[in-house]
Amino acid sequence: MRSFTYERATDARGAVAAVSRPGAKFISGGTNLLDLMKLEVERPSHLVDISRLPLTDIEELPDGGLRIGAQATNSDTAADARVRTHYPVLTQALVAGASGQLRNKASVGGNLLQRTRCPYFYDTAAGCNKRDPGSGCSAIGGFNRIHAILGVSDACIATHPSDMAVAMTVLEAQVELLDADGSARRVAVTDFHRLPGDTPHIETVLRPGEMITGVVLPPPPPGRQIYRKVRDRASYEFALVSVAVIVATDRGTISSARAAFGGVAHKPWRSVEAEAALTGHPAAMATYRAAAEAAMRDAVGRGHNDFKIELARRTLCRTLAQAAQATEAG
């Protein structure tokens, strides 16, 4: 690990001012950044510790939604009674996302900003446009079993690893940001992460010096919420494919539906195509299969990850069937 300097921020304005210096980065739980620093993938010259900032509260909003502070831990967020009751898909995703030890350290803001687990990104001897722009993508033509099947480019086929972000996508959350000049803005979580295009090293819409201060969840939508994660082993593993759905039915017909995928793209993938194929149609397997076909219509495998296309279809069908059945029963 290379040498670096360190300071602990005492307020949000001071934190964004401190991180505006060249080579500076925020650190909170450090569950991703420290690993990357040890491998010399990340080489910050200065760390600004924001873990002690007063951004840990989970607050009810007047409209019935929730605001989750960026420094709230994944464990505290998943265990919050209001989250478990009104946003169970978020609790399910957080619990599936990591071990208890990691959830106790990882923050909500840091979870959104974690970087890909592509092995070529971690291997500094391999070409990786995300780590070293212009060096190529070793995953294309390499061992790409865990890689993306949607929204890819010739520059990068990496996936985003967050489970939490998939749930927040289907919940239509907004990310609160504080700029270096003290101005605040909100960005829909669906717009927060970028597709790779020609610049896969630019992963979010964050401006230089900008910091996540919280996430706002709108009032909970009607219907049953379910998160399903398919992985190589039962714990401590990233998703091959994950699905978050919210389904409401009325006398056997799907009255509203939302669907998002993880493990299939450079960002959490909201499938408006699947939602259109579901809404207004019978809550039946034929409908779920049609939605799955629509969701994967533009999916492209690269060899080792071809299986993900069918896996994503089947995972969506099974999750939709479970959600619709639970909705009718409840």
Side-chain angles (χ1 to χ4, degrees):
M1 186 182 292
R2 296 170 181 259
S3 62
F4 57 89
T5 53
Y6 168 91
E7 70 175 288
R8 180 177 293 168
T10 57
D11 62 83
R13 291 287 295 273
V16 295
V19 87
S20 297
R21 61 189 281 187
K25 279 189 173 292
F26 291 124
I27 186 169
S28 181
T31 57
N32 187 204
L33 178 60
L34 291 178
D35 287 341
L36 293 172
M37 289 173 64
K38 292 173 184 177
L39 295 171
E40 295 197 355
V41 175
E42 292 273 15
R43 301 176 180 180
S45 58
H46 184 65
L47 291 182
V48 181
D49 186 345
I50 57 175
S51 63
R52 309 296 177 88
L53 294 183
L55 298 172
T56 60
D57 291 343
I58 300 176
E59 307 166 295
E60 296 181 32
L61 299 176
D63 66 356
L66 280 183
R67 180 188 181 275
I68 304 172
Q71 293 306 310
T73 67
N74 287 184
S75 288
D76 287 345
T77 303
D80 186 272
R82 295 159 296 185
V83 175
R84 287 189 289 111
T85 300
H86 301 297
Y87 306 96
V89 68
L90 180 54
T91 291
Q92 295 164 23
L94 285 167
V95 170
S99 67
Q101 295 93 327
L102 287 174
R103 294 199 305 270
N104 289 341
K105 288 294 294 180
S107 66
V108 165
N111 191 308
L112 288 171
L113 292 174
Q114 63 181 301
R115 306 198 70 186
T116 184
R117 264 53 180 196
C118 171
Y120 298 106
F121 172 71
Y122 278 76
D123 180 2
T124 55
C128 174
N129 290 316
K130 182 180 287 294
R131 173 175 32 79
D132 184 14
S135 64
C137 176
S138 294
I140 298 176
F143 185 67
N144 47 44
R145 182 174 180 271
I146 68 169
H147 288 75
I149 55 176
L150 289 167
V152 298
S153 72
D154 290 336
C156 182
I157 59 171
T159 59
H160 193 273
S162 174
D163 293 278
M164 182 196 77
V166 180
M168 287 188 171
T169 295
V170 83
L171 289 169
E172 298 184 347
Q174 292 192 320
V175 184
E176 288 185 342
L177 305 173
L178 182 67
D179 207 340
D181 63 5
S183 60
R185 65 180 178 126
R186 285 188 185 180
V187 175
V189 73
T190 51
D191 298 326
F192 181 73
H193 299 99
R194 293 165 47 110
L195 290 176
D198 296 328
T199 55
H201 59 291
I202 304 175
E203 298 174 348
T204 71
V205 297
L206 279 172
R207 299 165 182 163
E210 210 166 27
M211 181 177 72
I212 299 174
T213 55
V215 174
V216 174
L217 301 178
R224 182 69 63 169
Q225 304 176 20
I226 295 179
Y227 184 77
R228 184 181 298 277
K229 180 177 182 178
V230 181
R231 45 192 165 177
D232 282 326
R233 57 189 181 193
S235 65
Y236 208 75
E237 185 64 279
F238 296 97
L240 292 171
V241 169
S242 65
V243 172
V245 303
I246 304 176
V247 177
T249 61
D250 182 15
R251 289 171 290 187
T253 298
I254 299 172
S255 54
S256 64
R258 298 182 191 177
F261 290 89
V264 299
H266 200 256
K267 59 183 287 185
W269 190 266
R270 178 83 179 263
S271 181
V272 295
E273 297 84 0
E275 294 169 2
L278 290 165
T279 305
H281 295 276
M285 188 54 67
T287 299
Y288 311 148
R289 290 186 182 125
E293 289 296 327
M296 292 295 117
R297 186 172 296 129
D298 296 326
V300 177
R302 297 278 180 163
H304 298 103
N305 67 347
D306 290 350
F307 76 98
K308 276 194 174 189
I309 300 173
E310 182 60 22
L311 181 62
R313 292 190 188 111
R314 295 188 182 197
T315 304
L316 179 62
C317 287
R318 183 176 178 184
T319 310
L320 288 169
Q322 181 183 352
Q325 183 179 18
T327 300
E328 289 292 326

